[in-house]
Every structure is written in structure tokens, then in C-alpha cells.
């Protein structure tokens, strides 16, 4: 207790003893509180301590152990996904057409990002993103996590890491790489950022190629270093797929097609090369094409696989099948004469004609000179069902069974054909086919009248075949088709030095809004060498616009280049005496369009 000393003097002026006064006795300092308030306060303190004790007993006694364990693990333990490697796509010789390479996903926790304006600008440049987009993603307060860019190349990822930006992280993943680029793009197709197939082989064989993602549990110290790990599920790599494609022939076909489209100022083009013995697809090329490694530069039209999905009226390439049906039925023979004069034929009020009046022709010459009138007369001498039966046997009007998907084209039932339609279908109008269908159909002539299924994967043994023509009929048709590439035929430009070649040109107008217009599709289908056919090649050039549009002028030279270089790549021995080839401008043309 604090006390004050007060000095007093007596009456005589003498000092008296100091007196002590207590401040607590001062009325101004006296606190008068109700007793119940202090009791309540004391009771609240006891209740609080009791609650804390109960909570401690609950947590330590086992009731809250799992909760505490989870909270601790959140701070030091992580479960990480470990991606497996997607299987490779290989050509028939083991050349890699598609493979997965290591990459990084760059992501951020927006709340943790601490970067200057200059650092963000550097980050945007490295990721090839607009700066505004980077800022927008990082400014989203609702996000606890955001990807900035997926499948970043390792070199770029290292530069991003060198920036040492707080809140910017990376995780491992894989990026699909296509070494052959545009040349084989329509075969391989492509995957998305999740490494799932979207088109082509990548889609068709996705279940085979796809890897299984594994997971592992890791414990990290406060610096983020892994000090312990435990595998929960081991990753599994995908399986490889070996295609029937020969990358050498694929490049040959792609290069020749690209040059032809440019030379003829065409809208597009397509080429397919088949193994005549096994039905394996050795090459499948389209132009325009796309680079599956550079997705930002794709054009929608370039992604379309025209070999499989685009149909066109085959024109004169259909004539050999009509003539073969007549030979098979015993109606005509190769040396039988057909009168085509005066070069026109009226059927049911409609007139068809030839580009030039040929007069009297043998059946073989009808094919070689591509006479519409001669073909129509031969076809009209047959029941419509006989023609339809052969057309369907060789695959027209039916979707080819290839894994990457193909259209069926159009072939109406024979019961609906009028005579004029039977005549026009016989020379390739009123029916539509894909280039894949056309190429497969021509294998019936390259073989002994039988067909084999097409395959996009390499086969260990030739598949079982299905007969469509008698071997004698197929042999007769080979002779006629060889005449078609001779000097008197429509396609001398398809000839190859040292090899006997057989094939047929086609030129057809396009149908728009129910009317034929002056836009053309030029085509050629053939095989070589004739003595023992090794390959079948079909070419389609869409809307050539450089002054020439006939199949013999536009498509046949592409066939010649592709077939010649492919035969040499396959080391097929020549079967003809070297000659000087006639490739003049005055070769006969297909029948009138």
C-alpha cells in the first residue's frame, strides 16, 4: 500500500511525527461492482478451460487422429500422377512416324504469383502467349490453379524455370512428335493435349497406343525436396503400331501430288498406292495437307482425308468394269466390233456422245480410246442387275473396311435405273466413289479376278481373297488397259520407261445444284508391271485450272512419277524393253463430257 508523508508543526513550531495516509481509503478510488459479475466471469473461465481439455482429450485420444493426420499430410505429402509413354506409330520398315517426347505443363497458383511487369512479359514471350492473356489468367481470383500452357518444349521450359517466378510451376508430360510432318499427316492423324487420339491412326488405334498413367505418393521437406516416395500404381507404356505404309513411297506420292496440284492450279488432290498382292496400303497422300507438329497453323480444309472421305463421279475409270461385266456374261469378246459412228447415241430422248467420232471399234479399242457410245451400247445389252452385281463385288457403294474410316459412295439399286441411267453409269456418271474404292476395285484386274481386304497395318501373310471375275476375264482386261496407255490410248503420259503399265483415265464434270458445271475432276487408276503387278496407284486432281483438265493430261503424269519411283524403291525388276516414250499433246481424249 502506498502511503504519503505529511509534515506538521506544533503550536510552538516544532515538528510533529509524520502521519501515513492510504489512497485506497479515498472515496474516489473505490470500485463498487456487483458480486454476480465476477462469479460469471470466473464460471466462463472454468467452462473454457474445460472445453479445451475435452477437445485435447478427443484429439489425442483417437477421435481426431485422422483429421490431424490429413492436415499434416496436406503440408508434407503429395500424390503425383506419373504419365506413361504413348506407343509409337511405325512404318512397315520400322521408321518412326509418331512418337512421344518429354515436355512440360506450365501452371500457376494465381494467389502465389509474385512477378514484375517485365517478368510477366518475358514469360508471355517464352510461352508464345499474348501478355494480356497471361495477366487475365493470373488475375482470376476464383482460381486456385490454372494452366498457362501445355506441352511446352523442354528447352522453353528450362528458360521459364530460369525466371524463378514465385507461383509458377511445371509438371512433366509428353508431347506427340511427327517426324515426317505433312507428308504422312493424314495417315497418322494427331492427338490432343491430353494425349488422346483425335484423327487417323492415333484415333483408330487409341486403345492400343494409349499409356496408363501411374501415381506415386511422395513426402517433401520444407524446401520441396522429395525425401520419401511410394508407388501406388506403376505407369504402363502404350503398345507400338506398325503400319503397312512405306515412308519412302509415301514421300514420293506426297511430293508428286503437291507439285501436280501447284502446276495445274488445282483446288486439291489425292494419291493412294496399294500392294497388289496383299492389299496393304503403301502410301496415302493428300494435298493440301497440314503439319501435326504446328497446330496453330492448321486450316480446316487441309485436315480432311480426301482419299477416304471425298467422293466424285469416276468418269471413264468406270468403263473397264462395265466391259468386264459384259465379257464375264459372254456378251462380247475383246476383238468383237462395236459401231460407235456417228459418235452420238440417243437414249430415251437424251443424247450422249464421244469427244471424237471413232467409227467401228473393237471392244478393246472402246476401252483404250474411251468411247462413251461404245461403252453405253455394251452396257445396254446387259441386264442392269448384271452390271450392278459386278460393281458391288468390287466394292462400289460400300464403305471399305479400313480402320480410319471411309465413305461408301453412291450406287443406286439396279431396279431404279432407267436406260439412260444404265448407260451413263456404265461410263462413270450417276455413281460416286472415293479414291480408296477406285484403287481397290482396280486390284481385281491386277490380280486374277479376285479381291483382298485393304489393310493399313503390316501383314505377316496375304489375306484370303474373294473372287469377282474369272481369271481369263481379268487377263483380257489387263491387255485392254495396257492398250489405254499406248500411243493410241488416252494415257500415253502414264507410261514408264522399262515397265509395262496398264490403267485408265477419267474426267468428269462436277454437279452443282443439279446441273453439271465447267469444273472437273481428273483421275487415273492403274498398275504395274503388267507381267506381274506389284502396285496399284490411283490419282485424283480436283478442279485443275491451268488450261488442261483431262485425266490423261493432269492425273496420268502423276501416276507415272509415283509408279516409276515406287517400283525402283521396291526393287521391282523391269519387264519391258526400254523405248522412247510418246508424251505429246495430241493423245486421244476420253469421251465427251
Amino acid at each position: 500500500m502506498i502511503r504519503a508523508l505529511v509534515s506538521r508543526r506544533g503550536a510552538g513550531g516544532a515538528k510533529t511525527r509524520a502521519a501515513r495516509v492510504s489512497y485506497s481509503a479515498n472515496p474516489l478510488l473505490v470500485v463498487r461492482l456487483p458480486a454476480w459479475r465476477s462469479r460469471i466471469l470466473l464460471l466462463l473461465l472454468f467452462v473454457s478451460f474445460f472445453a479445451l481439455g475435452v477437445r485435447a482429450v478427443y484429439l489425442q485420444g483417437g477421435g481426431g487422429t485422422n483429421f490431424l493426420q490429413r492436415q499434416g499430410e496436406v503440408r508434407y505429402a503429395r500424390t503425383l500422377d506419373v504419365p506413361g509413354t504413348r506407343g509409337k506409330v511405325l512404318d512397315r520398315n520400322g521408321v518412326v512416324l509418331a512418337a512421344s517426347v518429354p515436355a512440360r505443363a506450365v501452371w500457376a497458383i494465381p494467389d502465389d504469383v509474385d512477378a514484375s511487369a517485365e517478368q510477366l512479359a518475358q514469360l508471355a514471350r517464352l510461352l508464345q502467349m499474348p501478355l494480356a492473356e497471361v495477366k487475365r489468367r493470373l488475375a482470376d481470383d476464383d482460381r486456385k490453379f490454372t494452366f498457362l500452357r501445355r506441352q511446352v518444349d523442354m528447352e522453353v521450359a528450362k528458360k521459364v524455370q530460369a525466371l524463378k517466378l514465385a507461383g509458377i510451376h511445371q509438371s512433366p508430360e509428353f508431347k506427340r512428335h511427327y517426324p515426317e510432318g505433312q507428308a504422312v499427316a493424314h495417315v497418322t492423324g494427331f492427338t490432343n493435349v491430353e494425349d488422346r487420339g483425335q484423327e487417323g491412326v492415333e484415333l483408330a488405334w487409341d486403345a492400343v497406343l494409349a499409356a496408363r498413367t501411374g501415381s506415386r505418393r511422395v513426402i517433401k521437406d520444407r524446401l520441396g525436396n522429395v525425401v520419401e516416395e511410394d508407388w501406388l500404381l506403376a505407369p504402363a507404356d502404350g503398345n507400338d503400331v506398325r503400319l503397312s505404309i512405306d515412308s519412302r513411297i509415301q514421300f514420293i506420292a506426297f511430293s508428286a501430288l503437291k507439285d501436280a496440284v501447284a502446276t495445274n492450279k488445282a483446288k486439291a488432290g489425292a494419291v493412294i498406292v496399294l500392294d497388289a498382292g496383299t492389299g496393304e496400303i503403301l502410301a496415302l497422300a493428300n494435298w493440301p495437307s497440314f503439319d501435326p507438329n504446328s497446330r496453330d497453323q492448321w486450316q480446316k480444309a487441309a485436315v480432311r482425308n480426301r482419299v477416304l472421305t471425298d467422293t466424285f463421279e469416276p468418269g471413264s475409270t468406270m468403263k473397264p468394269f462395265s466391259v468386264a461385266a459384259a465379257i464375264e456374261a459372254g456378251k462380247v469378246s475383246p476383238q468383237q466390233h462395236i459401231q460407235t459412228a456417228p459418235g452420238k447415241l440417243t437414249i430415251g430422248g437424251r443424247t450422249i456422245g464421244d469427244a471424237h467420232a471413232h467409227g467401228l471399234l473393237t471392244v478393246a479399242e472402246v476401252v483404250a480410246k474411251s468411247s462413251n457410245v461404245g461403252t453405253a451400247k455394251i452396257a445396254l445389252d446387259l441386264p442392269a442387275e448384271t452390271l450392278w452385281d459386278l460393281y458391288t463385288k468390287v466394292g462400289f457403294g460400300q464403305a471399305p473396311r479400313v480402320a480410319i474410316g471411309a465413305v461408301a459412295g453412291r450406287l443406286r439399286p439396279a431396279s431404279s435405273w432407267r436406260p439412260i441411267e444404265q448407260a451413263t453409269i456404265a461410263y462413270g456418271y450417276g455413281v460416286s466413289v472415293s479414291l480408296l474404292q477406285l484403287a481397290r476395285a482396280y486390284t481385281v484386274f491386277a490380280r486374277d479376278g479376285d479381291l483382298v481386304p485393304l489393310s493399313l497395318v503390316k501383314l505377316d501373310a496375304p489375306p484370303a481373297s474373294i473372287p469377282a471375275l474369272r481369271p481369263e476375264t481379268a487377263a483380257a482386261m489387263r491387255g485392254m488397259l495396257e492398250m489405254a496407255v499406248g500411243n493410241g490410248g488416252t494415257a500415253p503420259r502414264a507410261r514408264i520407261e522399262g515397265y509395262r503399265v496398264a490403267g485408265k483415265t477419267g474426267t468428269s464434270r462436277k454437279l452443282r445444284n443439279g446441273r453439271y458445271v465447267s469444273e472437273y475432276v481428273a483421275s487415273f487408276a492403274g498398275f504395274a508391271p503388267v507381267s506381274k503387278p506389284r502396285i496399284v496407284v490411283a490419282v485424283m486432281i480436283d478442279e485443275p485450272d491451268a488450261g488442261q483438265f483431262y485425266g490423261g493430261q493432269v492425273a496420268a503424269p502423276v501416276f507415272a512419277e509415283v509408279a516409276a519411283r515406287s517400283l525402283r524403291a521396291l526393287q521391282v525388276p523391269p519387264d519391258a524393253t526400254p523405248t522412247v516414250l510418246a508424251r505429246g499433246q495430241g493423245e486421244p481424249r476420253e469421251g465427251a463430257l
Side-chain angles (χ1 to χ4, degrees):
M1 182 180 291
I2 302 175
R3 298 179 181 278
L5 297 180
V6 181
S7 297
R8 296 191 180 193
R9 290 181 180 273
K15 291 184 179 178
T16 63
R17 179 176 248 177
R20 297 188 177 185
V21 180
S22 174
Y23 283 108
S24 63
N26 191 324
L28 297 176
L29 300 178
V30 175
V31 179
R32 299 183 183 277
L33 297 174
W36 61 269
R37 292 183 63 176
S38 59
R39 293 191 183 96
I40 289 177
L41 180 60
L42 183 62
L43 178 62
L44 292 175
L45 289 174
F46 276 118
V47 170
S48 299
F49 279 112
F50 179 77
L52 290 174
V54 171
R55 179 64 174 168
V57 171
Y58 170 77
L59 294 176
Q60 300 297 328
T65 303
N66 292 338
F67 171 78
L68 292 176
Q69 185 69 24
R70 288 195 301 270
Q71 292 301 309
E73 289 177 353
V74 167
R75 289 160 175 78
Y76 67 79
R78 297 285 189 278
T79 299
L80 304 178
D81 288 337
V82 182
T85 304
R86 186 176 177 86
K88 295 188 289 293
V89 178
L90 309 171
D91 86 335
R92 65 186 303 106
N93 300 312
V95 176
V96 176
L97 304 180
S100 294
V101 296
R104 291 289 183 269
V106 179
W107 52 277
I109 301 176
D111 290 342
D112 295 346
V113 174
D114 182 14
S116 65
E118 177 59 29
Q119 287 176 321
L120 289 180
Q122 288 181 308
L123 178 64
R125 284 194 296 269
L126 288 174
L127 298 181
Q128 296 182 344
M129 295 175 61
L131 178 59
E133 176 63 15
V134 173
K135 290 182 177 180
R136 185 189 68 78
R137 297 190 185 189
L138 297 179
D140 193 341
D141 296 334
D142 295 334
R143 292 190 185 186
K144 300 299 181 184
F145 170 93
T146 181
F147 277 115
L148 294 179
R149 194 168 185 86
R150 302 287 302 275
Q151 297 184 343
V152 177
D153 292 337
M154 294 299 294
E155 293 184 4
V156 176
K158 291 178 181 179
K159 293 178 181 179
V160 171
Q161 190 174 23
L163 296 177
K164 298 181 179 180
L165 301 180
I168 305 297
H169 306 277
Q170 298 182 20
S171 56
E173 59 180 4
F174 289 98
K175 178 180 181 180
R176 209 63 170 161
H177 179 61
Y178 302 91
E180 301 297 321
Q182 292 182 332
V184 74
H186 291 95
V187 176
T188 59
F190 52 89
T191 60
N192 60 13
V193 294
E194 301 297 337
D195 220 18
R196 295 297 179 186
Q198 300 298 295
E199 290 288 346
V201 171
E202 295 280 26
L203 175 61
W205 278 276
D206 186 62
V208 177
L209 294 165
R212 184 184 70 191
T213 300
S215 61
R216 61 180 180 139
R217 187 179 179 81
V218 301
I219 296 177
K220 296 184 178 183
D221 61 17
R222 66 183 184 86
L223 299 178
N225 301 314
V226 176
V227 297
E228 184 179 336
E229 67 176 0
D230 181 29
W231 284 99
L232 302 178
L233 179 65
D237 294 339
N239 297 309
D240 296 342
V241 173
R242 187 180 289 267
L243 302 181
S244 60
I245 296 293
D246 188 318
S247 58
R248 301 168 301 170
I249 299 177
Q250 178 71 26
F251 183 77
I252 289 168
F254 177 77
S255 300
L257 177 66
K258 182 180 178 181
D259 292 342
V261 170
T263 300
N264 293 284
K265 299 181 181 178
K267 176 182 177 181
V271 175
I272 184 170
V273 182
L274 304 179
D275 186 307
T278 64
E280 293 172 299
I281 300 174
L282 301 178
L284 187 160
N286 293 272
W287 186 262
S289 185
F290 65 98
D291 186 353
N293 298 304
S294 304
R295 304 187 183 191
D296 296 339
Q297 301 176 8
W298 291 358
Q299 294 181 355
K300 185 177 180 180
V303 179
R304 191 166 76 245
N305 193 337
R306 299 172 187 272
V307 173
L308 306 181
T309 63
D310 282 20
T311 60
F312 58 95
E313 292 185 309
S316 297
T317 57
M318 193 75 169
K319 292 174 182 175
F321 301 99
S322 304
V323 173
I327 294 176
E328 192 78 354
K331 292 291 185 178
V332 298
S333 63
Q335 298 308 316
Q336 183 176 332
H337 286 85
I338 303 292
Q339 181 57 258
T340 66
K344 295 183 182 299
L345 180 64
T346 300
I347 307 169
R350 301 281 299 274
T351 300
I352 63 175
D354 290 331
H356 305 284
H358 298 293
L360 192 65
L361 298 176
T362 65
V363 171
E365 290 173 331
V366 166
V367 175
K369 296 183 181 297
S370 199
S371 170
N372 290 345
V373 173
T375 304
K377 284 187 173 184
I378 292 172
L380 289 172
D381 197 32
L382 293 171
E385 289 76 12
T386 300
L387 290 169
W388 186 88
D389 184 58
L390 180 58
Y391 296 160
T392 54
K393 279 184 178 179
V394 298
F396 296 139
Q398 305 165 58
R401 295 182 180 180
V402 288
I404 55 177
V407 298
R410 180 171 59 90
L411 177 64
R412 293 185 294 108
S415 59
S416 67
W417 294 359
R418 296 176 297 163
I420 184 62
E421 291 172 326
Q422 181 171 334
T424 57
I425 288 173
Y427 61 80
Y429 278 84
V431 59
S432 66
V433 302
S434 70
L435 194 66
L436 181 70
Q437 288 178 305
L438 186 63
R440 180 175 184 258
Y442 265 74
T443 63
V444 77
F445 302 134
R447 300 170 59 87
D448 286 329
D450 60 339
L451 290 168
V452 290
L454 298 183
S455 177
L456 193 55
V457 294
K458 185 178 180 181
L459 301 177
D460 296 326
S465 63
I466 301 172
L469 294 173
R470 290 182 291 112
E472 297 80 8
T473 303
M477 295 309 303
R478 282 197 294 272
M480 297 183 201
L481 293 172
E482 188 172 11
M483 286 178 59
V485 299
N487 290 336
T490 59
R493 294 187 183 187
R495 296 168 66 182
I496 303 172
E497 183 72 26
Y499 293 95
R500 293 170 58 196
V501 174
K504 186 71 186 75
T505 58
T507 308
S508 60
R509 289 180 184 267
K510 282 193 166 185
L511 188 66
R512 295 194 187 281
N513 301 320
R515 297 179 63 88
Y516 285 103
V517 297
S518 296
E519 295 174 356
Y520 302 90
V521 174
S523 59
F524 185 92
F527 48 89
V530 174
S531 59
K532 188 177 181 180
R534 179 69 172 85
I535 58 173
V536 176
V537 181
V539 182
M540 183 272 291
I541 304 296
D542 188 12
E543 296 185 22
D545 193 28
Q548 296 181 331
F549 55 83
Y550 283 102
Q553 299 169 327
V554 175
V558 182
F559 168 88
E561 181 178 354
V562 173
R565 295 176 62 187
S566 298
L567 290 171
R568 295 186 186 102
L570 295 171
Q571 298 182 346
V572 177
D575 67 339
T577 303
T579 58
V580 177
L581 302 185
R583 295 177 183 262
Q585 300 295 324
E587 64 265 19
R589 299 172 179 176
E590 299 111 277
L593 305 172

